[in-house]
mmCIF file of all heavy atoms in Angstrom:
data_model
loop_
_atom_site.group_PDB
_atom_site.id
_atom_site.type_symbol
_atom_site.label_atom_id
_atom_site.label_comp_id
_atom_site.label_asym_id
_atom_site.label_seq_id
_atom_site.Cartn_x
_atom_site.Cartn_y
_atom_site.Cartn_z
ATOM 1 N N GLN A 27 149.909 25.417 110.254
ATOM 2 C CA GLN A 27 148.985 26.158 111.074
ATOM 3 C C GLN A 27 149.383 27.613 111.177
ATOM 4 O O GLN A 27 150.584 27.949 111.093
ATOM 5 C CB GLN A 27 148.927 25.556 112.495
ATOM 6 C CG GLN A 27 148.272 24.201 112.538
ATOM 7 C CD GLN A 27 148.248 23.663 113.981
ATOM 8 O OE1 GLN A 27 148.908 24.154 114.841
ATOM 9 N NE2 GLN A 27 147.427 22.663 114.168
ATOM 10 N N THR A 28 148.410 28.489 111.381
ATOM 11 C CA THR A 28 148.725 29.928 111.549
ATOM 12 C C THR A 28 149.001 30.192 113.019
ATOM 13 O O THR A 28 148.741 29.354 113.876
ATOM 14 C CB THR A 28 147.537 30.812 111.119
ATOM 15 O OG1 THR A 28 146.409 30.502 111.971
ATOM 16 C CG2 THR A 28 147.175 30.588 109.678
ATOM 17 N N ASN A 29 149.570 31.361 113.308
ATOM 18 C CA ASN A 29 149.909 31.736 114.679
ATOM 19 C C ASN A 29 148.672 31.739 115.572
ATOM 20 O O ASN A 29 148.750 31.413 116.741
ATOM 21 C CB ASN A 29 150.593 33.101 114.707
ATOM 22 C CG ASN A 29 151.988 33.032 114.189
ATOM 23 O OD1 ASN A 29 152.582 31.967 114.098
ATOM 24 N ND2 ASN A 29 152.513 34.184 113.801
ATOM 25 N N GLU A 30 147.514 32.200 115.073
ATOM 26 C CA GLU A 30 146.311 32.256 115.868
ATOM 27 C C GLU A 30 145.881 30.898 116.356
ATOM 28 O O GLU A 30 145.436 30.766 117.482
ATOM 29 C CB GLU A 30 145.204 32.892 115.071
ATOM 30 C CG GLU A 30 145.428 34.357 114.785
ATOM 31 C CD GLU A 30 144.342 34.916 113.874
ATOM 32 O OE1 GLU A 30 143.356 34.224 113.623
ATOM 33 O OE2 GLU A 30 144.496 36.082 113.458
ATOM 34 N N SER A 31 146.011 29.883 115.536
ATOM 35 C CA SER A 31 145.558 28.554 115.973
ATOM 36 C C SER A 31 146.603 27.869 116.853
ATOM 37 O O SER A 31 146.278 26.897 117.516
ATOM 38 C CB SER A 31 145.222 27.683 114.768
ATOM 39 O OG SER A 31 146.367 27.516 113.962
ATOM 40 N N ASN A 32 147.824 28.330 116.873
ATOM 41 C CA ASN A 32 148.859 27.738 117.739
ATOM 42 C C ASN A 32 148.803 28.281 119.145
ATOM 43 O O ASN A 32 149.352 27.728 120.061
ATOM 44 C CB ASN A 32 150.275 28.008 117.182
ATOM 45 C CG ASN A 32 150.575 27.125 116.007
ATOM 46 O OD1 ASN A 32 149.933 26.106 115.794
ATOM 47 N ND2 ASN A 32 151.539 27.544 115.222
ATOM 48 N N THR A 33 148.156 29.426 119.342
ATOM 49 C CA THR A 33 148.136 30.096 120.629
ATOM 50 C C THR A 33 146.967 29.573 121.472
ATOM 51 O O THR A 33 145.823 29.512 121.008
ATOM 52 C CB THR A 33 147.968 31.617 120.451
ATOM 53 O OG1 THR A 33 148.964 32.065 119.588
ATOM 54 C CG2 THR A 33 148.032 32.325 121.787
ATOM 55 N N ILE A 34 147.247 29.191 122.708
ATOM 56 C CA ILE A 34 146.212 28.806 123.631
ATOM 57 C C ILE A 34 145.827 30.038 124.420
ATOM 58 O O ILE A 34 146.670 30.629 125.066
ATOM 59 C CB ILE A 34 146.660 27.685 124.567
ATOM 60 C CG1 ILE A 34 147.042 26.466 123.746
ATOM 61 C CG2 ILE A 34 145.620 27.369 125.595
ATOM 62 C CD1 ILE A 34 147.672 25.335 124.549
ATOM 63 N N ASN A 35 144.557 30.421 124.304
ATOM 64 C CA ASN A 35 144.120 31.662 124.919
ATOM 65 C C ASN A 35 143.544 31.380 126.326
ATOM 66 O O ASN A 35 142.618 30.630 126.450
ATOM 67 C CB ASN A 35 143.044 32.331 124.083
ATOM 68 C CG ASN A 35 143.591 32.845 122.795
ATOM 69 O OD1 ASN A 35 144.726 33.269 122.725
ATOM 70 N ND2 ASN A 35 142.789 32.779 121.740
ATOM 71 N N SER A 36 144.080 32.055 127.297
ATOM 72 C CA SER A 36 143.481 32.062 128.597
ATOM 73 C C SER A 36 142.609 33.316 128.662
ATOM 74 O O SER A 36 142.632 34.130 127.763
ATOM 75 C CB SER A 36 144.540 32.090 129.711
ATOM 76 O OG SER A 36 145.253 33.317 129.668
ATOM 77 N N GLY A 37 141.874 33.498 129.711
ATOM 78 C CA GLY A 37 140.975 34.647 129.817
ATOM 79 C C GLY A 37 141.713 35.951 129.752
ATOM 80 O O GLY A 37 141.177 36.925 129.268
ATOM 81 N N GLU A 38 142.943 36.057 130.205
ATOM 82 C CA GLU A 38 143.640 37.343 130.243
ATOM 83 C C GLU A 38 144.564 37.554 129.036
ATOM 84 O O GLU A 38 145.063 38.663 128.822
ATOM 85 C CB GLU A 38 144.434 37.441 131.524
ATOM 86 C CG GLU A 38 145.465 36.353 131.680
ATOM 87 C CD GLU A 38 145.970 36.205 133.119
ATOM 88 O OE1 GLU A 38 145.148 36.261 134.013
ATOM 89 O OE2 GLU A 38 147.179 36.041 133.241
ATOM 90 N N ASN A 39 144.848 36.569 128.237
ATOM 91 C CA ASN A 39 145.782 36.731 127.123
ATOM 92 C C ASN A 39 145.102 36.600 125.780
ATOM 93 O O ASN A 39 145.678 36.073 124.839
ATOM 94 C CB ASN A 39 146.897 35.681 127.204
ATOM 95 C CG ASN A 39 147.847 35.929 128.319
ATOM 96 O OD1 ASN A 39 148.029 37.066 128.732
ATOM 97 N ND2 ASN A 39 148.441 34.888 128.839
ATOM 98 N N LYS A 40 143.914 37.120 125.680
ATOM 99 C CA LYS A 40 143.220 37.026 124.400
ATOM 100 C C LYS A 40 143.859 38.003 123.405
ATOM 101 O O LYS A 40 144.170 39.124 123.745
ATOM 102 C CB LYS A 40 141.726 37.406 124.535
ATOM 103 C CG LYS A 40 140.953 36.353 125.309
ATOM 104 C CD LYS A 40 139.524 36.693 125.322
ATOM 105 C CE LYS A 40 138.769 35.590 126.057
ATOM 106 N NZ LYS A 40 137.359 35.861 126.149
ATOM 107 N N PRO A 41 144.070 37.566 122.129
ATOM 108 C CA PRO A 41 144.683 38.460 121.177
ATOM 109 C C PRO A 41 143.706 39.566 120.804
ATOM 110 O O PRO A 41 142.491 39.393 120.786
ATOM 111 C CB PRO A 41 144.961 37.532 119.959
ATOM 112 C CG PRO A 41 143.987 36.430 120.093
ATOM 113 C CD PRO A 41 143.756 36.239 121.574
ATOM 114 N N LYS A 42 144.277 40.738 120.498
ATOM 115 C CA LYS A 42 143.475 41.847 120.069
ATOM 116 C C LYS A 42 143.055 41.648 118.607
ATOM 117 O O LYS A 42 143.863 41.251 117.788
ATOM 118 C CB LYS A 42 144.254 43.158 120.156
ATOM 119 C CG LYS A 42 144.652 43.525 121.573
ATOM 120 C CD LYS A 42 145.473 44.788 121.599
ATOM 121 C CE LYS A 42 145.934 45.085 122.979
ATOM 122 N NZ LYS A 42 146.803 46.270 123.007
ATOM 123 N N GLN A 43 141.777 41.875 118.355
ATOM 124 C CA GLN A 43 141.304 41.767 116.980
ATOM 125 C C GLN A 43 141.560 43.071 116.278
ATOM 126 O O GLN A 43 141.313 44.154 116.822
ATOM 127 C CB GLN A 43 139.844 41.422 116.925
ATOM 128 C CG GLN A 43 139.532 40.013 117.337
ATOM 129 C CD GLN A 43 138.058 39.695 117.106
ATOM 130 O OE1 GLN A 43 137.206 40.571 117.141
ATOM 131 N NE2 GLN A 43 137.792 38.462 116.848
ATOM 132 N N GLN A 44 142.066 43.009 115.071
ATOM 133 C CA GLN A 44 142.328 44.198 114.284
ATOM 134 C C GLN A 44 141.178 44.397 113.309
ATOM 135 O O GLN A 44 140.797 43.477 112.641
ATOM 136 C CB GLN A 44 143.646 44.065 113.541
ATOM 137 C CG GLN A 44 144.828 43.972 114.456
ATOM 138 C CD GLN A 44 146.137 43.794 113.671
ATOM 139 O OE1 GLN A 44 146.107 43.571 112.470
ATOM 140 N NE2 GLN A 44 147.222 43.926 114.352
ATOM 141 N N SER A 45 140.698 45.602 113.297
ATOM 142 C CA SER A 45 139.626 45.910 112.363
ATOM 143 C C SER A 45 140.201 46.109 110.981
ATOM 144 O O SER A 45 141.167 46.879 110.804
ATOM 145 C CB SER A 45 138.891 47.176 112.841
ATOM 146 O OG SER A 45 137.935 47.551 111.877
ATOM 147 N N LYS A 46 139.615 45.481 109.978
ATOM 148 C CA LYS A 46 140.098 45.616 108.645
ATOM 149 C C LYS A 46 139.250 46.593 107.843
ATOM 150 O O LYS A 46 139.414 46.752 106.638
ATOM 151 C CB LYS A 46 140.145 44.248 107.948
ATOM 152 C CG LYS A 46 141.158 43.341 108.577
ATOM 153 C CD LYS A 46 141.340 42.070 107.821
ATOM 154 C CE LYS A 46 142.379 41.217 108.511
ATOM 155 N NZ LYS A 46 142.782 40.065 107.760
ATOM 156 N N VAL A 47 138.282 47.231 108.512
ATOM 157 C CA VAL A 47 137.433 48.210 107.840
ATOM 158 C C VAL A 47 138.113 49.557 107.905
ATOM 159 O O VAL A 47 138.433 50.019 108.962
ATOM 160 C CB VAL A 47 136.049 48.264 108.536
ATOM 161 C CG1 VAL A 47 135.184 49.337 107.900
ATOM 162 C CG2 VAL A 47 135.380 46.920 108.500
ATOM 163 N N GLU A 48 138.359 50.154 106.749
ATOM 164 C CA GLU A 48 138.988 51.473 106.724
ATOM 165 C C GLU A 48 137.921 52.547 106.735
ATOM 166 O O GLU A 48 136.827 52.385 106.230
ATOM 167 C CB GLU A 48 139.812 51.603 105.420
ATOM 168 C CG GLU A 48 141.015 50.704 105.374
ATOM 169 C CD GLU A 48 141.837 50.954 104.103
ATOM 170 O OE1 GLU A 48 141.732 52.048 103.530
ATOM 171 O OE2 GLU A 48 142.540 50.060 103.706
ATOM 172 N N ALA A 49 138.278 53.643 107.352
ATOM 173 C CA ALA A 49 137.348 54.789 107.345
ATOM 174 C C ALA A 49 137.282 55.349 105.921
ATOM 175 O O ALA A 49 138.258 55.384 105.205
ATOM 176 C CB ALA A 49 137.865 55.863 108.277
#
Side-chain angles (χ1 to χ4, degrees):
Q27 291 181 344
T28 63
N29 288 341
E30 292 176 7
S31 61
N32 285 341
T33 306
I34 299 174
N35 292 326
S36 66
E38 59 197 43
N39 289 333
K40 289 186 179 178
K42 295 179 184 176
Q43 287 187 332
Q44 295 178 350
S45 175
K46 294 188 180 189
V47 177
E48 292 184 23

